[in-house]
Amino acid sequence: MVENFILPRQNLYTETRLFVSMGVGEECGVVACVLKEDFAETFNVAEILNNLLGELQHRGQTSSGIATFSKHNKKLLKTLKEAGKVAHLFKNWDKNYTAQKMKEFNGEIGIGHVRYATSNVDDDAFTILEEAQPFLRRHGRPWKRFAIAFNGHIANYDELKKELLEEGYILDTDVDTEVIMHLISLSLKKHLTHTPEGLFKSFEEVIAKLDGSFNCVFLNASGDLVVFRDPLGLRPLVIGENEKFFAVASESKALNKVGITNFRDVAPGEVVIIKNGEMICKSLKIDSRCAHCHFEYVYFSDTCSINDSILVNDVRKNLGKILGREERLKGRFGEEDWMVVPVPSTSIPAAVAYSYETNVAFSFSLIKNDVGRGFINSTEMRKTIMNAKYSIIPESVRDKKVILVDDSIIRGETCQRVIKLLRDAGASEVHLRVTELPIKFPCFYGVDFPSYKELIAGDINGSKEEIEKQVAQKINADSMGFISFEGLKESLGGNGDTFCFACLTGKYPTEKGQELADGLR
Ligand code: SF4
């Protein structure tokens, strides 16, 4: 029976994480670009994709890839993928190789992807490449031959995979994108996809089947680009244009890089088709609910990005300001030897605002070395990275009472190491302040938090004060404090109605997400 071969993906979220090697939980970045007709000969879409992807490197470093379409190319649609960072894709250090690949993948339309595999980082290069995106669906008909790249996580993946297996499909990977790719190809069969109406119908059908977060860019060998975002708008996605090209990216920072200042969010539930140089948009939203991932603002997104019309940097400043306002150590701030120190780099705007709000001196005493983001790597790799991640300026913290400001605390390993660094350098006290609440629940929408047992506050129950006390003991801080839930919502600029907080509250915005969480309980 085919069912016997379906490994239930929700087991990723159990304490034991039996299927940790399956490699499915991921947070990624997608891009797309369409050259306008007058500039199709003078610009190279591969170069623009390379620049766009380079600005999304913080969203994924496991693999990078592009697919480009050129009406001058016999194959029309070609993919180039590499394990590792975007620089590896075109071997930016080797001018001849870069020039040759740029020529080979020159085209008028393209899509791209950076992958952030949280579970498969120990895999061999072959598997990493096999799971790298864009995925290419080969077919003899140009409108049925397509490439697709995806950012998000499908909560009902197991059911969809089962359906496909029962239809007789063979799946090569455990990656959501492959399932979406086959669902799209099934829908494309049914509709007249030479026309925008047919394409809309196909994607409407696919979107109706998916539960979770999904931002997709699709490009067929007829030169049609389709972009869609899930109805709750869980992950950010922007689209813009200048006189030379249209561009799409997971974050606006990437559009800025290629000179696009005129951009907007792809609305939750919106499908955008760019065909023959014309952009056609349609909303498939059936209600007004949104659930933007609040963690994008706290940690994932780049500080200079504008997600759903909110500047990430503004949220981070608000978080620091409000955390400072809530600070209960305030009574002691009159003493001269206090010092606010950010854990670089995400928490810098918050730490500056915190210092301003509390009137405590600010110091860049910790220097971040370029070793990647600790949260995204395997246990072994994470430890190695964390040991090399920060350097300290001892003279600036000696005999100081340090208020260490961090964006979030997940396992607590980074904080623990930083606190030790500060104490070894002569800090007399170290107090940790965090611009997030304790993460207590799994994410089914693309952020692969560690298992319940590994989360620093996963097994601590009780009041906020009790959790803070126990976390402080675990990481050897003199005290620690999380921002309040009200403060977090206020930082996001409202009552929080349009955001997802499921990893804090256990209340999930989609049916399948809630079902998976209830099943674990
Ligand atoms: Fe973001 Fe948390 Fe919701 Fe996942 S559960 S989408 S990390 S807010």
Side-chain angles (χ1 to χ4, degrees), residues 6 24 26 244 256 280 381 516:
I6 303 167
V24 285
E26 56 191 21
K244 297 162 190 136
N256 289 335
I280 314 156
M381 207 193 221
L516 289 175

Side-chain angles (χ1 to χ4, degrees), residues 12 29 58 65 79 129 174 199 204 220 234 242 255 276 309 315 319 399 412 418 421 450 458 516:
L12 271 173
H58 59 287
T79 56
L129 265 182
D174 287 307
L199 278 171
E204 189 169 6
N220 67 19
L234 276 146
N242 58 22
L255 298 193
N276 301 328
S309 308
V315 174
L319 287 163
D399 300 325
V418 168
L421 263 182
L516 289 175

Side-chain angles (χ1 to χ4, degrees), residues 388-400:
K389 198 168 176 181
Y390 299 105
S391 301
I392 195 160
I393 306 170
E395 294 73 16
S396 68
V397 296
R398 196 164 295 141
D399 300 325
K400 297 286 182 195

Side-chain angles (χ1 to χ4, degrees), residues 234-235 293-295 442-443 445 447 449 500-503:
L234 276 146
R235 304 267 149 244
C293 170
H294 85 277
F295 201 59
C443 173
Y445 310 121
V447 179
F449 289 121
C500 175
F501 297 107
C503 47

Side-chain angles (χ1 to χ4, degrees), residues 103-402:
K103 196 172 161 201
E104 205 180 312
F105 284 85
N106 189 7
E108 301 94 54
I109 310 172
I111 61 173
H113 189 264
V114 283
R115 179 153 187 256
Y116 183 134
T118 48
S119 314
N120 256 3
V121 285
D122 291 332
D123 265 346
D124 55 83
F126 176 80
T127 310
I128 289 175
L129 265 182
E130 194 172 56
E131 294 179 348
Q133 300 183 40
F135 277 18
L136 180 65
R137 169 71 159 74
R138 294 175 196 281
H139 199 284
R141 304 269 185 203
W143 59 92
K144 286 185 183 168
R145 182 183 176 92
F146 65 86
I148 179 174
F150 162 80
N151 168 214
H153 192 83
I154 303 304
N156 60 338
Y157 169 88
D158 288 336
E159 285 89 335
L160 295 172
K161 181 174 177 176
K162 188 176 169 206
E163 277 173 33
L164 286 171
L165 292 175
E166 283 169 357
E167 287 260 344
Y169 275 73
I170 298 164
L171 297 177
D172 292 321
T173 69
D174 287 307
V175 178
D176 311 51
T177 318
E178 191 182 5
V179 163
I180 299 174
M181 180 179 82
H182 290 309
L183 292 178
I184 291 174
S185 65
L186 273 172
S187 279
L188 290 179
K189 256 191 219 169
K190 290 193 215 159
H191 301 285
L192 279 174
T193 49
H194 301 80
T195 63
E197 293 71 32
L199 278 171
F200 276 126
K201 269 192 195 147
S202 300
F203 285 94
E204 189 169 6
E205 211 169 80
V206 173
I207 290 170
K209 286 186 181 155
L210 305 176
D211 178 310
S213 67
F214 44 95
N215 286 344
C216 287
V217 286
F218 160 103
L219 172 62
N220 67 19
S222 296
D224 304 325
L225 178 83
V226 182
V227 178
F228 60 93
R229 187 177 182 200
D230 66 75
L232 293 173
L234 276 146
R235 304 267 149 244
L237 190 66
V238 285
I239 185 164
E241 65 177 300
N242 58 22
E243 72 279 12
K244 297 162 190 136
F245 51 82
F246 297 95
V248 175
S250 290
E251 290 185 40
S252 62
K253 181 193 183 208
L255 298 193
N256 289 335
K257 168 81 177 184
V258 297
I260 290 186
T261 49
N262 175 23
F263 62 85
R264 66 168 178 88
D265 301 299
V266 174
E270 185 178 7
V271 179
V272 179
I273 297 176
I274 301 179
K275 190 176 175 67
N276 301 328
E278 198 192 342
M279 180 157 84
I280 314 156
C281 311
K282 189 171 177 181
S283 173
L284 300 177
K285 206 159 163 52
I286 45 170
D287 60 35
S288 58
R289 279 188 324 129
C290 285
H292 309 309
C293 170
H294 85 277
F295 201 59
E296 288 278 351
Y297 297 89
V298 172
Y299 177 79
F300 265 119
S301 290
D302 193 279
T303 293
C304 36
S305 288
I306 300 174
N307 297 350
D308 291 292
S309 308
I310 304 173
L311 177 61
V312 174
N313 191 55
D314 280 351
V315 174
R316 291 184 183 161
K317 281 196 293 187
N318 291 343
L319 287 163
K321 187 176 167 189
I322 293 166
L323 187 60
R325 202 176 70 197
E326 292 176 349
E327 181 54 71
R328 76 183 94 87
L329 278 175
K330 216 171 231 166
R332 300 175 65 190
F333 284 170
E335 298 168 27
E336 280 180 0
D337 44 6
W338 285 94
M339 176 80 76
V340 173
V341 174
V343 179
S345 53
T346 320
S347 65
I348 290 172
V352 171
Y354 182 100
S355 154
Y356 193 79
E357 184 68 20
T358 53
N359 213 17
V360 173
F362 179 91
S363 172
F364 277 114
S365 301
L366 282 170
I367 311 298
K368 189 176 179 182
N369 303 316
D370 185 16
V371 288
R373 294 181 102 164
F375 176 51
I376 65 174
N377 295 291
S378 70
T379 313
E380 274 313 297
M381 207 193 221
R382 204 177 58 246
K383 278 185 185 156
T384 314
I385 282 175
M386 269 188 306
N387 284 333
K389 198 168 176 181
Y390 299 105
S391 301
I392 195 160
I393 306 170
E395 294 73 16
S396 68
V397 296
R398 196 164 295 141
D399 300 325
K400 297 286 182 195
K401 291 170 184 155
V402 171

